[in-house]
Amino acid sequence: MSESTNKLYGTVLIRAKEILDYLLNSETAPTLKEISDGIGMTKPTTLKILTTLEALKFVTRDENTKAYFLDVSLLAYGEKASEEFDIRSIVTPTLSRLRDSTGETINLGIVNDNEIVLLDKFESPQSIFLKSRIGGRMNMYSSSMGKAILSAYSDTEMADYLDHTDLKKVTPNTITTSDALIADLQTTKGRGYSVDDEENEVDIFCVGFVITKYQKIYGAFSITAPKFRMGSEKRKKIVQLAKAAQKEIIDKI
Amino acid sequence: MSESTNKLYGTVLIRAKEILDYLLNSETAPTLKEISDGIGMTKPTTLKILTTLEALKFVTRDENTKAYFLDVSLLAYGEKASEEFDIRSIVTPTLSRLRDSTGETINLGIVNDNEIVLLDKFESPQSIFLKSRIGGRMNMYSSSMGKAILSAYSDTEMADYLDHTDLKKVTPNTITTSDALIADLQTTKGRGYSVDDEENEVDIFCVGFVITKYQKIYGAFSITAPKFRMGSEKRKKIVQLAKAAQKEIIDKI
DNA sequence: CCTTTCCGTTTCTTATTTAGAAATGATAAC
DNA sequence: GTTATCATTTCTAAATAAGAAACGGAAAGG
């Protein structure tokens, strides 16, 4: 929101990203028409960009149905990118054990552009919902990982975050005022973990733990479960196990 | 090699990919000069593309060092792409157990553009080498996963593969003639698994198993170990476990 | 079996964008 | 404080892109 207002170079590149994003958010592989209608570009232009994207192996086209989808070649870029933040290698054994001991799904996230990006997940065998995808994004203010991280922010960082964020309702429980959010983060700080009580997704309850050492914030992890499986006894037990995991991780950094 | 020779649309897009590839293959985050020199583009042009890539969240720039690296936002595209081929969910529990029972690293790959793309890996605790990265590519003719898949190809498919591939030496052991490769694949077919005896990487020995059902090839998995840990006894045991895993996977498809 | 419709593809021309030489800043090295 | 080196900005001829219109081909409907 404080971006330079100068026009960006690379019209085709920008449009190509629109196409990639369209494919990213499509349930099923779309055809040329669907894409060009969906984005509001003319067919010839869309076709030309798609043809180039295909040649570059960013997309693939089904020869029969003529439908487009993202190409697995893209995997390499994301994996390389996430290597830069390599908490994963440190964190994996601990979180994998935490999954086993809690029986619930564990997520690992980092901050990227004021949002949480899901870096990895350790799924519980009983997990029904797999809405989330590695690389997927969520709000900081409505998720347990986000709130765990926000609770470690300085006042300046927090002010900057609020400055760049609209607290929009995602579910009926989402916190939508700065004051309420700041109060919640205060509680989080005292308690040592954050709680997302159906604030990001209905029926889903999460607790979140920040991974931070010597002032530096590395990311956060959370334990996610359907609300009916998160009674106060269970939650107490999970928190205890997770706090031990958090300590173990921080010691390894 | 039978591509249309027409000039491709989207100059900037093509150049942007060159930059992304340069970042993908850089050990350390490069600066503008390194990138422009490395690719052979002028600095102003490179800067302009990088600035747009940054705005699109494909790259990030370190404010202090001015160095560029790939942005984690890219994760989402690759993950979505690999979902299309979702053998992973079917295969994960079995391969994870195979890792535990063999104590060695298991790789899962699929074919993309006549090469193997590493879709997932299940690392052994004793794995020293982590040269490979998810999304990484290797030759079909020099890798065990590739040869396992080639052994399931029809004559036409194989002819087409050879037509589009140079059998270049990767290590002293790499097979570099069609005849030798075809003979090796014959052996593979009879034996039920492929062997890569330092053909792709010195000191590394792998066995590969194709995942195929009703004529359709879904991918392959391999067991990788340093050669000194792959004596014939150990290998026999591993093959036995892997064949059971292969059967289990195919039954689940 | 012919007609219509609906996409995908090609062509063409004006308007827009780009590429890079050169100049300028900024910063680090000496 | 001078020099070297890299990042950034400016500017304009030359290259590229955008989209209207026309075309082609396959599938649907009568």
Side-chain angles (χ1 to χ4, degrees):
Chain A
M1 319 209 172
S2 55
E3 296 302 304
S4 100
T5 167
N6 271 343
K7 186 138 179 305
L8 226 42
Y9 168 101
T11 320
V12 178
L13 180 50
I14 294 162
R15 292 182 152 197
K17 186 193 147 80
E18 285 187 70
I19 293 179
L20 292 176
D21 284 341
Y22 189 85
L23 294 176
L24 180 62
N25 298 313
S26 297
E27 288 296 325
T28 57
T31 59
L32 173 62
K33 183 168 194 319
E34 279 172 71
I35 300 170
S36 60
D37 284 355
I39 307 189
M41 282 195 281
T42 61
K43 276 192 295 173
T45 303
T46 311
L47 176 62
K48 278 178 262 183
I49 297 175
L50 279 164
T51 305
T52 302
L53 285 173
E54 197 183 358
L56 301 178
K57 304 200 191 314
F58 282 176
V59 308
T60 312
R61 189 174 206 184
D62 186 300
E63 294 205 347
N64 300 317
T65 66
K66 302 264 178 190
Y68 291 95
F69 42 95
L70 296 170
D71 192 285
V72 278
S73 300
L74 291 164
L75 258 181
Y77 300 100
E79 288 293 324
K80 166 81 178 187
S82 64
E83 239 172 45
E84 313 274 347
F85 304 82
D86 225 354
I87 344 170
R88 278 201 296 185
S89 53
I90 294 173
V91 137
T92 299
T94 307
L95 293 189
S96 158
R97 261 182 284 116
L98 185 59
R99 183 242 341 254
D100 295 340
S101 61
T102 60
E104 298 294 346
T105 295
I106 317 292
N107 300 294
L108 174 66
I110 58 173
V111 178
N112 179 260
D113 193 39
N114 284 328
E115 292 181 325
I116 298 294
V117 173
L118 185 63
L119 247 200
D120 213 342
K121 59 181 173 176
F122 302 85
E123 288 196 64
S124 128
Q126 49 183 328
S127 90
I128 331 155
F129 43 88
L130 42 138
K131 272 200 171 178
S132 66
R133 178 191 297 137
I134 290 176
R137 295 175 159 270
M138 55 198 121
N139 298 315
M140 294 186 76
Y141 65 89
S142 66
S143 66
S144 66
M145 292 194 285
K147 295 202 293 180
I149 289 173
L150 288 175
S151 76
Y153 271 17
S154 68
D155 289 352
T156 333
E157 287 171 319
M158 187 62 199
D160 184 72
Y161 172 73
L162 288 172
D163 229 39
H164 291 268
T165 313
D166 270 348
L167 304 175
K168 280 179 295 211
K169 262 209 183 320
V170 184
T171 70
N173 280 10
T174 308
I175 297 175
T176 52
T177 68
S178 302
D179 288 350
L181 181 60
I182 289 169
D184 185 279
L185 295 176
Q186 209 54 47
T187 314
T188 297
K189 219 180 285 186
R191 188 170 47 196
Y193 64 94
S194 66
V195 168
D196 153 19
D197 184 4
E198 304 191 77
E199 293 161 40
N200 199 51
E201 198 176 332
V202 172
D203 283 337
I204 300 294
F205 189 99
C206 309
V207 287
F209 297 80
V210 64
I211 303 169
T212 178
K213 189 171 187 171
Y214 307 137
Q215 319 284 3
K216 182 165 161 47
I217 295 172
Y218 292 89
F221 66 91
S222 71
I223 298 92
T224 303
K227 193 158 181 189
F228 70 81
R229 272 214 306 268
M230 269 289 203
S232 78
E233 275 313 303
K234 176 90 180 275
R235 174 173 151 190
K236 210 173 285 176
K237 199 186 150 212
I238 283 180
V239 165
Q240 190 199 327
L241 291 165
K243 280 197 169 172
Q246 184 188 32
K247 185 171 179 310
E248 187 179 309
I249 288 168
I250 292 172
D251 285 346
K252 277 204 264 180
I253 294 177
Chain B
M1 320 214 169
S2 54
E3 295 303 304
S4 100
T5 168
N6 271 345
K7 186 139 179 304
L8 226 41
Y9 169 100
T11 319
V12 178
L13 180 51
I14 293 163
R15 291 180 154 198
K17 186 194 147 82
E18 283 187 71
I19 293 179
L20 292 176
D21 284 341
Y22 188 86
L23 294 176
L24 180 62
N25 297 314
S26 297
E27 286 297 326
T28 58
T31 59
L32 172 62
K33 184 172 194 314
E34 279 172 71
I35 300 170
S36 60
D37 285 355
I39 306 188
M41 281 196 282
T42 61
K43 275 193 294 173
T45 302
T46 310
L47 177 62
K48 278 177 265 184
I49 298 176
L50 279 163
T51 305
T52 302
L53 285 173
E54 197 183 357
L56 300 179
K57 303 198 191 318
F58 282 176
V59 308
T60 312
R61 189 174 205 183
D62 185 301
E63 293 205 347
N64 300 317
T65 67
K66 303 264 177 190
Y68 290 95
F69 41 94
L70 296 171
D71 192 285
V72 278
S73 300
L74 290 164
L75 259 182
Y77 301 100
E79 288 292 324
K80 166 81 177 187
S82 64
E83 242 173 41
E84 313 274 349
F85 305 83
D86 226 353
I87 344 169
R88 278 201 296 184
S89 52
I90 295 174
V91 138
T92 300
T94 308
L95 293 188
S96 161
R97 261 183 282 117
L98 185 59
R99 182 240 343 254
D100 295 339
S101 60
T102 61
E104 298 294 347
T105 295
I106 317 293
N107 301 293
L108 173 67
I110 58 172
V111 178
N112 179 260
D113 194 38
N114 284 327
E115 292 180 326
I116 297 294
V117 172
L118 185 62
L119 247 199
D120 213 342
K121 59 180 174 176
F122 302 84
E123 288 197 65
S124 127
Q126 50 182 326
S127 91
I128 330 157
F129 41 88
L130 43 136
K131 274 200 167 176
S132 65
R133 177 191 299 136
I134 290 175
R137 295 176 158 269
M138 55 197 120
N139 297 315
M140 294 187 75
Y141 65 89
S142 65
S143 66
S144 65
M145 290 194 287
K147 295 202 293 180
I149 289 174
L150 288 176
S151 76
Y153 270 18
S154 68
D155 289 352
T156 332
E157 288 171 319
M158 187 63 198
D160 183 73
Y161 172 73
L162 288 171
D163 229 40
H164 291 268
T165 314
D166 271 349
L167 304 175
K168 280 180 295 212
K169 262 208 184 320
V170 183
T171 71
N173 279 12
T174 308
I175 296 173
T176 53
T177 67
S178 302
D179 288 351
L181 182 58
I182 290 168
D184 186 278
L185 296 177
Q186 209 54 46
T187 313
T188 297
K189 219 179 286 186
R191 190 169 45 197
Y193 64 95
S194 66
V195 168
D196 153 19
D197 184 3
E198 305 190 76
E199 292 160 41
N200 198 52
E201 198 176 332
V202 172
D203 283 337
I204 300 294
F205 189 99
C206 309
V207 286
F209 297 80
V210 65
I211 303 169
T212 176
K213 189 170 187 172
Y214 308 135
Q215 318 285 2
K216 180 161 161 52
I217 296 172
Y218 292 88
F221 67 90
S222 72
I223 298 93
T224 303
K227 191 157 183 190
F228 69 83
R229 272 214 307 267
M230 269 290 204
S232 76
E233 275 313 301
K234 177 91 180 271
R235 174 174 152 190
K236 210 172 287 175
K237 200 187 149 210
I238 283 180
V239 164
Q240 190 200 325
L241 291 165
K243 281 196 169 173
Q246 183 188 33
K247 184 171 179 311
E248 188 177 310
I249 289 167
I250 292 173
D251 284 347
K252 275 204 265 179
I253 294 177

